[in-house]
PDB file of all heavy atoms in Angstrom:
ATOM      1  N   TYR A  49    -140.129 -49.129 -59.369  1.00 98.00           N
ATOM      2  CA  TYR A  49    -140.967 -50.300 -59.639  1.00 98.00           C
ATOM      3  C   TYR A  49    -141.608 -50.214 -61.026  1.00 98.00           C
ATOM      4  O   TYR A  49    -141.760 -51.228 -61.714  1.00 98.00           O
ATOM      5  CB  TYR A  49    -142.040 -50.532 -58.553  1.00 98.00           C
ATOM      6  CG  TYR A  49    -142.679 -51.892 -58.791  1.00 98.00           C
ATOM      7  CD1 TYR A  49    -141.967 -53.065 -58.529  1.00 98.00           C
ATOM      8  CD2 TYR A  49    -143.933 -52.018 -59.377  1.00 98.00           C
ATOM      9  CE1 TYR A  49    -142.491 -54.319 -58.830  1.00 98.00           C
ATOM     10  CE2 TYR A  49    -144.472 -53.269 -59.684  1.00 98.00           C
ATOM     11  CZ  TYR A  49    -143.750 -54.413 -59.398  1.00 98.00           C
ATOM     12  OH  TYR A  49    -144.263 -55.662 -59.713  1.00 98.00           O
ATOM     13  N   LEU A  50    -141.932 -49.003 -61.465  1.00 98.00           N
ATOM     14  CA  LEU A  50    -142.514 -48.867 -62.814  1.00 98.00           C
ATOM     15  C   LEU A  50    -141.510 -49.301 -63.889  1.00 98.00           C
ATOM     16  O   LEU A  50    -141.898 -49.705 -64.989  1.00 98.00           O
ATOM     17  CB  LEU A  50    -142.996 -47.433 -63.056  1.00 98.00           C
ATOM     18  CG  LEU A  50    -144.198 -47.022 -62.190  1.00 98.00           C
ATOM     19  CD1 LEU A  50    -144.558 -45.547 -62.428  1.00 98.00           C
ATOM     20  CD2 LEU A  50    -145.427 -47.901 -62.467  1.00 98.00           C
ATOM     21  N   ALA A  51    -140.221 -49.277 -63.543  1.00 97.00           N
ATOM     22  CA  ALA A  51    -139.210 -49.789 -64.481  1.00 97.00           C
ATOM     23  C   ALA A  51    -139.279 -51.321 -64.559  1.00 97.00           C
ATOM     24  O   ALA A  51    -138.877 -51.927 -65.549  1.00 97.00           O
ATOM     25  CB  ALA A  51    -137.814 -49.355 -64.037  1.00 97.00           C
ATOM     26  N   ILE A  52    -139.810 -51.944 -63.508  1.00 97.00           N
ATOM     27  CA  ILE A  52    -139.990 -53.412 -63.500  1.00 97.00           C
ATOM     28  C   ILE A  52    -141.294 -53.759 -64.226  1.00 97.00           C
ATOM     29  O   ILE A  52    -141.328 -54.591 -65.114  1.00 97.00           O
ATOM     30  CB  ILE A  52    -140.063 -53.941 -62.031  1.00 97.00           C
ATOM     31  CG1 ILE A  52    -138.797 -53.573 -61.238  1.00 97.00           C
ATOM     32  CG2 ILE A  52    -140.357 -55.427 -61.976  1.00 97.00           C
ATOM     33  CD1 ILE A  52    -137.549 -54.264 -61.685  1.00 97.00           C
ATOM     34  N   ASN A  53    -142.375 -53.108 -63.801  1.00 98.00           N
ATOM     35  CA  ASN A  53    -143.673 -53.323 -64.457  1.00 98.00           C
ATOM     36  C   ASN A  53    -144.350 -51.968 -64.648  1.00 98.00           C
ATOM     37  O   ASN A  53    -144.847 -51.377 -63.689  1.00 98.00           O
ATOM     38  CB  ASN A  53    -144.565 -54.258 -63.623  1.00 98.00           C
ATOM     39  CG  ASN A  53    -145.870 -54.569 -64.353  1.00 98.00           C
ATOM     40  OD1 ASN A  53    -146.206 -53.931 -65.358  1.00 98.00           O
ATOM     41  ND2 ASN A  53    -146.607 -55.547 -63.854  1.00 98.00           N
ATOM     42  N   PRO A  54    -144.374 -51.471 -65.874  1.00 97.00           N
ATOM     43  CA  PRO A  54    -144.956 -50.137 -66.130  1.00 97.00           C
ATOM     44  C   PRO A  54    -146.425 -50.048 -65.736  1.00 97.00           C
ATOM     45  O   PRO A  54    -146.958 -48.949 -65.594  1.00 97.00           O
ATOM     46  CB  PRO A  54    -144.795 -49.956 -67.642  1.00 97.00           C
ATOM     47  CG  PRO A  54    -143.882 -51.040 -68.097  1.00 97.00           C
ATOM     48  CD  PRO A  54    -143.861 -52.124 -67.075  1.00 97.00           C
ATOM     49  N   LEU A  55    -147.095 -51.200 -65.550  1.00 98.00           N
ATOM     50  CA  LEU A  55    -148.489 -51.159 -65.091  1.00 98.00           C
ATOM     51  C   LEU A  55    -148.562 -50.957 -63.577  1.00 98.00           C
ATOM     52  O   LEU A  55    -149.653 -50.795 -63.023  1.00 98.00           O
ATOM     53  CB  LEU A  55    -149.217 -52.454 -65.472  1.00 98.00           C
ATOM     54  CG  LEU A  55    -149.426 -52.701 -66.963  1.00 98.00           C
ATOM     55  CD1 LEU A  55    -150.148 -54.032 -67.182  1.00 98.00           C
ATOM     56  CD2 LEU A  55    -150.236 -51.577 -67.603  1.00 98.00           C
ATOM     57  N   GLY A  56    -147.431 -51.031 -62.904  1.00 98.00           N
ATOM     58  CA  GLY A  56    -147.430 -50.845 -61.444  1.00 98.00           C
ATOM     59  C   GLY A  56    -148.099 -51.993 -60.713  1.00 98.00           C
ATOM     60  O   GLY A  56    -148.687 -51.796 -59.642  1.00 98.00           O
ATOM     61  N   GLN A  57    -148.015 -53.193 -61.278  1.00 98.00           N
ATOM     62  CA  GLN A  57    -148.702 -54.337 -60.678  1.00 98.00           C
ATOM     63  C   GLN A  57    -147.716 -55.425 -60.266  1.00 98.00           C
ATOM     64  O   GLN A  57    -146.641 -55.562 -60.854  1.00 98.00           O
ATOM     65  CB  GLN A  57    -149.688 -54.944 -61.687  1.00 98.00           C
ATOM     66  CG  GLN A  57    -150.822 -53.996 -62.050  1.00 98.00           C
ATOM     67  CD  GLN A  57    -151.753 -54.581 -63.087  1.00 98.00           C
ATOM     68  OE1 GLN A  57    -151.349 -55.373 -63.931  1.00 98.00           O
ATOM     69  NE2 GLN A  57    -152.994 -54.174 -63.047  1.00 98.00           N
ATOM     70  N   VAL A  58    -148.130 -56.194 -59.274  1.00 98.00           N
ATOM     71  CA  VAL A  58    -147.434 -57.439 -58.945  1.00 98.00           C
ATOM     72  C   VAL A  58    -148.311 -58.585 -59.424  1.00 98.00           C
ATOM     73  O   VAL A  58    -149.531 -58.403 -59.561  1.00 98.00           O
ATOM     74  CB  VAL A  58    -147.171 -57.568 -57.427  1.00 98.00           C
ATOM     75  CG1 VAL A  58    -146.206 -56.509 -56.955  1.00 98.00           C
ATOM     76  CG2 VAL A  58    -148.449 -57.553 -56.601  1.00 98.00           C
ATOM     77  N   PRO A  59    -147.741 -59.763 -59.659  1.00 98.00           N
ATOM     78  CA  PRO A  59    -146.352 -60.153 -59.444  1.00 98.00           C
ATOM     79  C   PRO A  59    -145.446 -59.779 -60.621  1.00 98.00           C
ATOM     80  O   PRO A  59    -145.908 -59.525 -61.725  1.00 98.00           O
ATOM     81  CB  PRO A  59    -146.455 -61.681 -59.358  1.00 98.00           C
ATOM     82  CG  PRO A  59    -147.599 -62.014 -60.269  1.00 98.00           C
ATOM     83  CD  PRO A  59    -148.583 -60.884 -60.117  1.00 98.00           C
ATOM     84  N   ALA A  60    -144.126 -59.798 -60.312  1.00 98.00           N
ATOM     85  CA  ALA A  60    -143.101 -59.738 -61.349  1.00 98.00           C
ATOM     86  C   ALA A  60    -141.934 -60.592 -60.868  1.00 98.00           C
ATOM     87  O   ALA A  60    -141.728 -60.743 -59.661  1.00 98.00           O
ATOM     88  CB  ALA A  60    -142.655 -58.299 -61.593  1.00 98.00           C
ATOM     89  N   VAL A  61    -141.209 -61.132 -61.822  1.00 98.00           N
ATOM     90  CA  VAL A  61    -140.041 -61.964 -61.493  1.00 98.00           C
ATOM     91  C   VAL A  61    -138.907 -61.558 -62.423  1.00 98.00           C
ATOM     92  O   VAL A  61    -139.123 -61.323 -63.617  1.00 98.00           O
ATOM     93  CB  VAL A  61    -140.382 -63.477 -61.655  1.00 98.00           C
ATOM     94  CG1 VAL A  61    -139.127 -64.323 -61.782  1.00 98.00           C
ATOM     95  CG2 VAL A  61    -141.223 -63.975 -60.480  1.00 98.00           C
ATOM     96  N   LEU A  62    -137.721 -61.472 -61.836  1.00 98.00           N
ATOM     97  CA  LEU A  62    -136.517 -61.187 -62.615  1.00 98.00           C
ATOM     98  C   LEU A  62    -135.622 -62.412 -62.494  1.00 98.00           C
ATOM     99  O   LEU A  62    -135.289 -62.837 -61.377  1.00 98.00           O
ATOM    100  CB  LEU A  62    -135.843 -59.961 -61.996  1.00 98.00           C
ATOM    101  CG  LEU A  62    -134.682 -59.304 -62.702  1.00 98.00           C
ATOM    102  CD1 LEU A  62    -135.065 -58.848 -64.097  1.00 98.00           C
ATOM    103  CD2 LEU A  62    -134.208 -58.102 -61.867  1.00 98.00           C
ATOM    104  N   HIS A  63    -135.294 -63.010 -63.628  1.00 97.00           N
ATOM    105  CA  HIS A  63    -134.470 -64.219 -63.584  1.00 97.00           C
ATOM    106  C   HIS A  63    -133.302 -64.070 -64.546  1.00 97.00           C
ATOM    107  O   HIS A  63    -133.494 -64.033 -65.756  1.00 97.00           O
ATOM    108  CB  HIS A  63    -135.298 -65.461 -63.967  1.00 97.00           C
ATOM    109  CG  HIS A  63    -134.488 -66.711 -64.034  1.00 97.00           C
ATOM    110  ND1 HIS A  63    -134.559 -67.617 -65.065  1.00 97.00           N
ATOM    111  CD2 HIS A  63    -133.567 -67.203 -63.168  1.00 97.00           C
ATOM    112  CE1 HIS A  63    -133.725 -68.604 -64.848  1.00 97.00           C
ATOM    113  NE2 HIS A  63    -133.105 -68.389 -63.712  1.00 97.00           N
ATOM    114  N   ASP A  64    -132.089 -63.987 -63.983  1.00 94.00           N
ATOM    115  CA  ASP A  64    -130.892 -63.840 -64.815  1.00 94.00           C
ATOM    116  C   ASP A  64    -131.078 -62.774 -65.886  1.00 94.00           C
ATOM    117  O   ASP A  64    -130.780 -63.003 -67.068  1.00 94.00           O
ATOM    118  CB  ASP A  64    -130.535 -65.188 -65.472  1.00 94.00           C
ATOM    119  CG  ASP A  64    -129.957 -66.165 -64.448  1.00 94.00           C
ATOM    120  OD1 ASP A  64    -129.533 -65.714 -63.366  1.00 94.00           O
ATOM    121  OD2 ASP A  64    -129.965 -67.375 -64.729  1.00 94.00           O
ATOM    122  N   GLY A  65    -131.621 -61.630 -65.488  1.00 92.00           N
ATOM    123  CA  GLY A  65    -131.782 -60.509 -66.421  1.00 92.00           C
ATOM    124  C   GLY A  65    -133.086 -60.529 -67.194  1.00 92.00           C
ATOM    125  O   GLY A  65    -133.421 -59.554 -67.861  1.00 92.00           O
ATOM    126  N   ALA A  66    -133.817 -61.633 -67.164  1.00 94.00           N
ATOM    127  CA  ALA A  66    -135.104 -61.686 -67.876  1.00 94.00           C
ATOM    128  C   ALA A  66    -136.208 -61.247 -66.928  1.00 94.00           C
ATOM    129  O   ALA A  66    -136.315 -61.759 -65.814  1.00 94.00           O
ATOM    130  CB  ALA A  66    -135.384 -63.099 -68.371  1.00 94.00           C
ATOM    131  N   LEU A  67    -136.996 -60.291 -67.395  1.00 97.00           N
ATOM    132  CA  LEU A  67    -138.072 -59.745 -66.575  1.00 97.00           C
ATOM    133  C   LEU A  67    -139.392 -60.321 -67.055  1.00 97.00           C
ATOM    134  O   LEU A  67    -139.696 -60.274 -68.247  1.00 97.00           O
ATOM    135  CB  LEU A  67    -138.054 -58.224 -66.750  1.00 97.00           C
ATOM    136  CG  LEU A  67    -138.914 -57.379 -65.864  1.00 97.00           C
ATOM    137  CD1 LEU A  67    -138.657 -57.655 -64.398  1.00 97.00           C
ATOM    138  CD2 LEU A  67    -138.620 -55.910 -66.169  1.00 97.00           C
ATOM    139  N   ILE A  68    -140.166 -60.895 -66.143  1.00 98.00           N
ATOM    140  CA  ILE A  68    -141.443 -61.506 -66.543  1.00 98.00           C
ATOM    141  C   ILE A  68    -142.539 -60.951 -65.648  1.00 98.00           C
ATOM    142  O   ILE A  68    -142.401 -60.936 -64.422  1.00 98.00           O
ATOM    143  CB  ILE A  68    -141.429 -63.045 -66.420  1.00 98.00           C
ATOM    144  CG1 ILE A  68    -140.148 -63.633 -67.010  1.00 98.00           C
ATOM    145  CG2 ILE A  68    -142.625 -63.674 -67.152  1.00 98.00           C
ATOM    146  CD1 ILE A  68    -139.239 -64.201 -65.990  1.00 98.00           C
ATOM    147  N   THR A  69    -143.638 -60.514 -66.271  1.00 98.00           N
ATOM    148  CA  THR A  69    -144.837 -60.134 -65.529  1.00 98.00           C
ATOM    149  C   THR A  69    -145.973 -61.011 -66.052  1.00 98.00           C
ATOM    150  O   THR A  69    -145.778 -61.777 -67.001  1.00 98.00           O
ATOM    151  CB  THR A  69    -145.192 -58.644 -65.717  1.00 98.00           C
ATOM    152  OG1 THR A  69    -145.498 -58.418 -67.090  1.00 98.00           O
ATOM    153  CG2 THR A  69    -144.055 -57.734 -65.301  1.00 98.00           C
ATOM    154  N   GLU A  70    -147.134 -60.902 -65.444  1.00 98.00           N
ATOM    155  CA  GLU A  70    -148.324 -61.702 -65.745  1.00 98.00           C
ATOM    156  C   GLU A  70    -148.182 -63.077 -65.079  1.00 98.00           C
ATOM    157  O   GLU A  70    -147.298 -63.879 -65.421  1.00 98.00           O
ATOM    158  CB  GLU A  70    -148.588 -61.872 -67.255  1.00 98.00           C
ATOM    159  CG  GLU A  70    -148.884 -60.572 -67.980  1.00 98.00           C
ATOM    160  CD  GLU A  70    -150.115 -59.856 -67.423  1.00 98.00           C
ATOM    161  OE1 GLU A  70    -151.103 -60.510 -67.086  1.00 98.00           O
ATOM    162  OE2 GLU A  70    -150.052 -58.620 -67.305  1.00 98.00           O
ATOM    163  N   THR A  71    -149.091 -63.314 -64.155  1.00 98.00           N
ATOM    164  CA  THR A  71    -149.050 -64.522 -63.327  1.00 98.00           C
ATOM    165  C   THR A  71    -148.914 -65.803 -64.163  1.00 98.00           C
ATOM    166  O   THR A  71    -148.059 -66.655 -63.876  1.00 98.00           O
ATOM    167  CB  THR A  71    -150.318 -64.578 -62.449  1.00 98.00           C
ATOM    168  OG1 THR A  71    -150.403 -63.352 -61.718  1.00 98.00           O
ATOM    169  CG2 THR A  71    -150.300 -65.750 -61.498  1.00 98.00           C
ATOM    170  N   ALA A  72    -149.739 -65.941 -65.187  1.00 98.00           N
ATOM    171  CA  ALA A  72    -149.706 -67.175 -65.984  1.00 98.00           C
ATOM    172  C   ALA A  72    -148.375 -67.316 -66.711  1.00 98.00           C
ATOM    173  O   ALA A  72    -147.795 -68.415 -66.774  1.00 98.00           O
ATOM    174  CB  ALA A  72    -150.864 -67.181 -66.985  1.00 98.00           C
TER     175      ALA A  72
END
Side-chain angles (χ1 to χ4, degrees):
Y49 190 72
L50 292 176
I52 302 292
N53 184 348
L55 294 179
Q57 295 178 330
V58 294
V61 161
L62 189 58
H63 176 226
D64 287 342
L67 189 54
I68 314 111
T69 63
E70 297 300 321
T71 305

